[in-house]
Amino acid sequence: MKHYEDIEADDCYDMAVEWIRHGNYDKAVHYFSRAIELNQYFIYAYIALARAYATQKKFTDAVHVLKKAVRLDPAFDRLHYLMAKYAHKNGDYKNALICISRAIEMDDKDLYREAREIIEANYRRR
């Protein structure tokens, strides 16, 4: 049964991607959410769901989705970076700094360090 659920989760993910191509983010959110229900470890479904929310300017929802993913895979540095990105876009610079610092601790990428500089600059201007 589990194998079938994983296949169905993949199908839901693919359907969500198609809905995004057609500009229907509400349906995409539904199908990404369904993919996660079927396979709670489908980390890329969380990332795609967060991006769908962010595209709709629902940055708080995007961050919450990624927090759930981080509980499942806390060592995936990209999740922390994305949380920082969406928190920053939402004006939550303090949380963005916390998240980007975690990402940098895991993998000191140039992208992450440059993102931290931008977040810090906006935090100081506040």
Side-chain angles (χ1 to χ4, degrees):
M1 190 68 169
K2 177 68 177 142
H3 179 68
Y4 173 76
E5 288 176 350
D6 289 345
I7 292 170
E8 189 176 348
D10 285 343
D11 291 343
C12 287
Y13 182 92
D14 292 342
M15 182 64 69
V17 169
E18 284 302 315
W19 280 117
I20 284 177
R21 285 190 185 127
H22 291 279
N24 191 329
Y25 291 94
D26 291 332
K27 288 215 180 202
V29 164
H30 169 77
Y31 281 103
F32 284 134
S33 297
R34 180 71 181 132
I36 292 166
E37 287 173 21
L38 292 165
N39 179 356
Q40 71 173 345
Y41 298 101
F42 196 166
I43 298 299
Y44 287 99
Y46 289 90
I47 292 170
L49 176 58
R51 185 176 181 139
Y53 279 133
T55 301
Q56 298 175 75
K57 309 275 189 246
K58 296 179 181 178
F59 300 115
T60 301
D61 292 336
V63 171
H64 286 296
V65 165
L66 293 169
K67 281 182 181 179
K68 291 177 185 177
V70 163
R71 284 188 216 117
L72 298 170
D73 191 355
F76 190 3
D77 58 281
R78 185 78 177 169
L79 295 172
H80 296 279
Y81 165 74
L82 292 171
M83 282 194 303
K85 176 181 172 179
Y86 298 139
H88 178 260
K89 287 185 177 205
N90 202 36
D92 185 358
Y93 303 124
K94 185 176 181 179
N95 189 37
L97 282 171
I98 291 168
C99 294
I100 199 64
S101 295
R102 285 185 191 136
I104 291 169
E105 286 172 13
M106 292 175 202
D107 192 348
D108 192 20
K109 293 180 181 176
D110 289 341
L111 173 66
Y112 298 170
R113 281 187 275 112
E114 290 175 20
R116 182 177 57 193
E117 288 177 27
I118 292 168
I119 295 167
E120 286 173 341
N122 287 327
Y123 185 69
R124 283 191 300 271
R125 273 185 265 200
R126 230 172 75 144

